[in-house]
Amino acid sequence: MSELTGSHRIAAGLDLRGRSYEGGQMSFCSVLDSGLSGTEVRGGRLTGNGWIHCNFCCGSYSGMLLEMERFDRCAVGNVRLTRVEAIELRASECSFAGDRWSGCTFEKGKFRKCTFSHISMEDVLFVGTVFEDCTFLDTSMKNVRFRKVKFKNCRFGAQPGELCERCRFVRCEILG
């Protein structure tokens, strides 16, 4: 297993499928049109990286700290997130499908035009996060808490959670 490392780089068309990484730090890199499906990352810190049109399907990420990470037009399907702390994460036009998230914290993040379908979340905390123009379908939530979260123009397949503390819903709808 190698370390995930790098700083101030631009990389396009990487094929990192099926690789495993233990720890490391990666900061202020731009990763474009790259394949990370089946990638396993345990531990480590990612800071200020931009991931554009990347495929993270079937990956496993655990014990990580993500700070100011940006994800644009990424496919995140059947991904397992365990004990991941994400601070100021931004995701735009990403598709999250079939994922399993457990023991994660998302703080001061923003999800814009993202789709969450068939996601299973357990023991997840969202604090000060904004969801704008997002769609939530068949999402299972067990002990998921939302604190000071704003949902704007979002669509829900079912009534959103009772675990919302001081959440705001602006022009949202329940799909029939």
Side-chain angles (χ1 to χ4, degrees), residues 7-39:
S7 180
H8 297 90
R9 295 184 188 159
I10 298 173
L14 295 177
D15 184 0
L16 304 175
R17 293 176 293 176
R19 295 194 185 174
S20 294
Y21 298 96
E22 183 80 43
Q25 293 188 31
M26 188 170 145
S27 57
F28 304 106
C29 294
S30 294
V31 183
L32 315 155
D33 298 310
S34 295
L36 293 102
S37 60
T39 301

Side-chain angles (χ1 to χ4, degrees), residues 81-85 101-106 122-126:
L81 295 181
T82 308
R83 297 178 329 280
V84 171
E85 182 179 359
W101 299 358
S102 63
C104 300
T105 301
F106 294 86
E122 185 172 347
D123 299 318
V124 176
L125 173 63
F126 293 93

Side-chain angles (χ1 to χ4, degrees), residues 1 19 27 41 45 54 57 61 81 91 94 97 113 120 134-135 141 159 163 165 173-174:
M1 209 177 263
R19 295 194 185 174
S27 57
V41 180
R45 180 179 187 160
C54 293
C57 293
Y61 305 88
L81 295 181
C94 293
K113 293 185 178 181
S120 173
C134 292
T135 302
M141 296 184 191
Q159 188 69 34
L163 300 173
E165 298 172 27
E173 67 177 298
I174 306 297

Side-chain angles (χ1 to χ4, degrees), residues 40-152:
E40 178 185 10
V41 180
R42 287 187 279 176
R45 180 179 187 160
L46 303 178
T47 304
N49 299 295
W51 306 86
I52 301 168
H53 201 253
C54 293
N55 181 346
F56 292 92
C57 293
C58 302
S60 177
Y61 305 88
S62 63
M64 298 178 66
L65 174 61
L66 310 177
E67 296 179 290
M68 301 180 297
E69 292 293 290
R70 305 294 185 257
F71 297 88
D72 292 308
R73 298 180 315 278
C74 293
V76 186
N78 295 310
V79 166
R80 185 176 207 105
L81 295 181
T82 308
R83 297 178 329 280
V84 171
E85 182 179 359
I87 301 168
E88 295 185 33
L89 179 142
R90 302 285 187 261
S92 180
E93 298 181 50
C94 293
S95 172
F96 299 91
D99 296 351
R100 296 179 56 88
W101 299 358
S102 63
C104 300
T105 301
F106 294 86
E107 198 171 329
K108 300 178 186 170
K110 184 170 185 179
F111 294 86
R112 189 178 75 67
K113 293 185 178 181
C114 293
T115 301
F116 298 86
S117 62
H118 306 288
I119 304 285
S120 173
M121 295 183 199
E122 185 172 347
D123 299 318
V124 176
L125 173 63
F126 293 93
V127 179
T129 301
V130 175
F131 293 92
E132 185 176 336
D133 296 313
C134 292
T135 302
F136 298 85
L137 299 170
D138 296 321
T139 301
S140 167
M141 296 184 191
K142 182 178 177 185
N143 196 30
V144 176
R145 295 164 309 208
F146 298 93
R147 292 187 185 142
K148 298 181 183 178
V149 171
K150 181 178 180 181
F151 296 91
K152 182 178 179 187

